[in-house]
């Protein structure tokens, strides 16, 4: 079975977002408003908030999958929408923090440093890769293409869960090195 009309309608938008979002984040990550002369306070309170949001995303994803396995489509749909809101809020806060604060260097040494960077790099790569997967999976669900939705969700879910969980792990590992 081919794409539904709704899927076709959103295909271009999804691919545009899959390119624009990571590029915008990469550019904004390099922009520090304070370095540009703006008198802004560092948003140093944000990392524990956006780490918590990542944790809530992970919990909601697990509950959403559990709900659909029990046949509760509406709970599943609402939780996935909430996960998308959480992911969007995370992104906004993450960019806001990095536009107003100095980057924090990981201070661990030895094996833990390699573990941290492995988790960080896989988190970053998958956070980019996951964008079209989440959006296509979502559109298939709302378009009623349930078999195709389910097939793609089997790939999307573990990736999205990994990104959410590793976001929390990265925060926990780097938080001792934040300037206080």
């Amino acid at each position: 079975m081919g794409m539904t009309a709704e899927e076709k309608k959103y295909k271009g938008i999804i691919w545009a977002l899959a390119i624009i979002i990571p590029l915008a984040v990469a550019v904004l990550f390099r922009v520090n408003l304070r370095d540009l002369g703006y008198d802004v306070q560092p948003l140093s309170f944000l990392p524990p908030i956006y780490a918590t949001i990542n944790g809530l995303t992970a919990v909601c994803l697990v509950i959403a999958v559990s709900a659909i396995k029990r046949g509760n489509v509406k709970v599943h749909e609402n939780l996935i929408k909430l996960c998308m809101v959480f992911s969007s809020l995370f992104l906004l806060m993450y960019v806001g923090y990095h536009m107003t604060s100095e980057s924090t260097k990981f201070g661990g040494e030895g094996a833990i440093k390699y573990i941290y960077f492995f988790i960080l790099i896989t988190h970053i790569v998958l956070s980019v890769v996951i964008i079209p997967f989440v959006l296509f999976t979502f559109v298939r669900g709302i378009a009623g293409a349930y078999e195709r939705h389910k097939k793609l969700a089997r790939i999307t879910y573990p990736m999205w869960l990994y990104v959410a969980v590793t976001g929390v792990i990265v925060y926990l590992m780097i938080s001792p090195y934040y300037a206080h």
Side-chain angles (χ1 to χ4, degrees):
M1 182 176 170
M3 272 194 213
T4 65
E6 195 158 8
E7 288 176 89
K8 287 178 185 171
K9 181 170 110 177
Y10 289 108
K11 183 179 178 182
I13 294 169
I14 290 170
W15 283 118
L17 289 171
I19 294 166
I20 292 167
I21 292 171
L23 288 177
V25 170
V27 168
L28 294 174
F29 187 82
R30 299 276 180 228
V31 173
N32 188 298
L33 296 175
R34 296 165 63 92
D35 292 345
L36 295 175
Y38 291 97
D39 185 24
V40 295
Q41 291 299 312
L43 300 176
S44 54
F45 62 92
L46 286 178
I49 296 170
Y50 61 67
T52 301
I53 287 173
N54 265 331
L56 291 171
T57 302
V59 169
C60 288
L61 283 170
V62 170
I63 296 169
V65 169
S66 175
I68 201 63
K69 286 181 177 181
R70 289 188 321 272
N72 198 332
V73 176
K74 199 63 185 162
V75 168
H76 172 78
E77 182 182 333
N78 288 335
L79 285 168
I80 293 301
K81 287 177 182 175
L82 184 59
C83 288
M84 292 175 79
V85 168
F86 282 158
S87 292
S88 299
L89 287 172
F90 163 82
L91 195 56
L92 291 171
M93 287 185 217
Y94 178 81
V95 168
Y97 169 76
H98 284 284
M99 288 182 73
T100 62
S101 306
E102 295 299 318
S103 287
T104 301
K105 302 281 185 236
F106 182 73
E109 296 178 5
I112 196 71
K113 183 176 182 177
Y114 296 105
I115 293 167
Y116 170 78
F117 281 109
F118 174 81
I119 294 169
L120 177 65
I121 291 165
T122 57
H123 170 80
I124 291 168
V125 168
L126 285 177
S127 71
V128 171
V129 169
I130 195 66
I131 296 168
F133 280 90
V134 167
L135 296 174
F136 278 115
T137 304
F138 180 75
V139 168
R140 286 179 180 184
I142 61 171
Y146 299 123
E147 282 308 310
R148 294 177 60 247
H149 166 82
K150 187 176 178 180
K151 186 176 180 180
L152 188 56
R154 287 189 177 121
I155 300 165
T156 304
Y157 170 67
M159 275 198 298
W160 197 359
L161 186 60
Y162 181 86
V163 169
V165 170
T166 56
V168 176
I169 293 169
V170 165
Y171 167 75
L172 292 173
M173 291 181 81
I174 200 166
S175 63
Y177 306 104
Y178 282 119
H180 296 292

